[in-house]
Amino acid sequence: MKVVPDVFPCEQDRAQFQHFAELPGIELYQAHISRYAFEPHTHEAFGIGTIESGAQRFRYRGANYTAPQHSLIMMNPDELHTGESACDDGWRYRMIYIDPQEMDRLTGDRHWWFSEALRTDVRLAQPFSQLLAQMWQAETALERESTLLELLELMRPLARQGEPRPAEATHRFDAVRDYLRENLAEPVRLEDLAALASLSPWHFLRSFKQHFHVTPHQMLMAFRLFAAKQQLARGESAATVAASVGLTDQAHLTRAFAHRYGITPGRYQKQVFHSR
C-alpha cells in the first residue's frame, strides 16, 4: 500500500522536473498547484521563476508574500521558504534552479544575489516565462545552453554581484545550522543544539525561531529532503536515501518528499532520468 499516491489528491495538480546532462547544477520545474501547501524547504540554489496564472502565497526570510500572475520570483540559495495557493484555482508557474557555483561559471560574475524576492512586471515576467518554456522544449544542447544565457542576461539587471548579502553576517546560530546540515542521519537533541549557542533550550528555541522563522526540526527536515533530492537525482534507491539522511524508512521519505516538493521520490527519479 502506497503512503502517498503517485499523483496529487487534486487531479488538476501537476509537478514536473527536468535535468540536462550538459548543464550540471541546473534544474527546471513547472507545476500547477491548487491544494498542496508546501512545508518549509530549501533548494540551496537560486530559484527564479514566474507565475503564469493564478496567485501564490509564500513565506521567505520571515516575510509573507502574495505573487499574482506575471510576477517574477527571485530566491537566493539556502533560504527556507513555503508555498501555497492564494486563490481558489491555484497557481501555475515555471522555475529554474541554478547552483551558485554554476551561476558564477556561466556569467563570469561572482556572488550573485537578489535583494527583492518578488516583482510584478509583465514586461519582465512574460519574456522570462517564454524563455523557460523554450528551454524546456529545446531539442538540442546548443539550444538549451543558448536559451539559458538569454535567461541570465534578462536577470542580470535585477541581480547584485560581488557584495555579501546582509543576512550573511556571522551569527551565533550559524554553528547550529551547520551542525544540522552536517549531521543529517544523527539523532538530534534540543539541549545539544542549545549548548552550541550557549543558551538554555527555552531561550534557544524562541530565539532560533525568531532568527530563522522555522523551528530546528523544520530546518533539519528541509536539509534532509534537499540531500535526499540530490541523491535520488544520482540514481540511488529510495530505501538507501532514506537511511542516509536520517529518515525512518522509505515510507517516511515518500511522505516528507511529497509534502515539500509536490511529487513522490519515484516519480521525481523517473522525470529527471527521462529528461537527460
Side-chain angles (χ1 to χ4, degrees):
M1 178 178 177
K2 293 185 178 181
V3 178
V4 176
D6 283 345
V7 295
F8 286 99
C10 177
E11 63 180 13
Q12 293 179 329
D13 290 358
R14 296 287 187 274
Q16 295 176 286
F17 291 85
Q18 272 196 3
H19 286 191
F20 310 104
E22 74 278 3
L23 291 171
I26 303 293
E27 181 173 78
L28 291 186
Y29 174 76
Q30 61 184 22
H32 176 272
I33 307 295
S34 58
R35 296 291 180 264
Y36 248 72
F38 294 99
E39 296 183 12
H41 61 281
T42 180
H43 300 281
E44 299 191 23
F46 290 98
I48 311 167
T50 58
I51 307 297
E52 297 191 326
S53 65
Q56 177 196 17
R57 184 182 300 112
F58 64 96
R59 186 168 180 82
Y60 174 78
R61 302 187 77 182
N64 293 314
Y65 295 89
T66 299
Q69 184 180 19
H70 303 314
S71 291
L72 194 64
I73 296 172
M74 299 158 286
M75 294 184 175
N76 293 310
D78 199 18
E79 294 284 1
L80 290 164
H81 57 279
T82 62
E84 62 181 346
S85 178
C87 62
D88 291 340
D89 294 330
W91 81 103
R92 185 165 55 88
Y93 63 118
R94 294 179 182 272
M95 299 290 295
I96 183 170
Y97 298 102
I98 308 176
D99 180 84
Q101 287 73 36
E102 186 68 3
M103 182 76 86
D104 289 351
R105 187 189 72 80
L106 289 166
T107 64
D109 298 325
R110 296 286 295 170
H111 307 305
W112 273 45
W113 61 278
F114 296 101
S115 56
E116 292 181 281
L118 176 66
R119 179 179 290 200
T120 302
D121 186 339
V122 65
R123 295 169 300 176
L124 286 171
Q126 277 193 336
F128 193 84
S129 183
Q130 290 166 358
L131 287 169
L132 283 177
Q134 181 179 328
M135 189 173 173
W136 186 282
Q137 297 162 6
E139 297 182 354
T140 68
L142 178 60
E143 184 180 2
R144 278 190 291 270
E145 291 168 337
S146 300
T147 304
L148 175 59
L149 294 182
E150 288 186 65
L151 282 166
L152 295 177
E153 189 63 30
L154 189 64
M155 294 306 300
R156 180 178 256 114
L158 303 179
R160 304 178 71 174
Q161 298 105 32
E163 301 176 33
R165 295 187 320 207
E168 288 190 345
T170 301
H171 190 276
R172 69 193 305 174
F173 292 143
D174 289 353
V176 178
R177 180 191 59 203
D178 294 342
Y179 178 86
L180 291 173
R181 195 194 305 275
E182 293 165 5
N183 293 275
L184 300 180
E186 301 301 321
V188 176
R189 297 288 304 276
L190 183 62
E191 61 187 49
D192 295 332
L193 299 180
L196 290 172
S198 301
L199 292 171
S200 70
W202 169 262
H203 287 98
F204 165 75
L205 185 59
R206 293 181 61 193
S207 299
F208 187 95
K209 289 172 64 177
Q210 185 176 29
H211 183 68
F212 286 119
H213 315 292
V214 293
T215 66
H217 179 258
Q218 288 174 319
M219 178 176 284
L220 175 61
M221 288 300 294
F223 290 159
R224 282 173 168 171
L225 270 297
F226 180 75
K229 188 162 171 276
Q230 290 180 308
Q231 292 175 34
L232 289 166
R234 293 196 294 266
E236 298 179 27
S237 72
T240 299
V241 170
S244 72
V245 300
L247 300 180
T248 307
D249 51 26
Q250 186 172 338
H252 188 189
L253 171 66
T254 300
R255 289 194 304 272
F257 196 89
H259 287 161
R260 284 161 179 80
Y261 297 116
I263 190 171
T264 64
R267 285 181 65 84
Y268 175 74
Q269 278 193 319
K270 289 178 182 177
Q271 289 180 3
V272 298
F273 280 101
H274 176 74
S275 64
R276 289 175 180 171

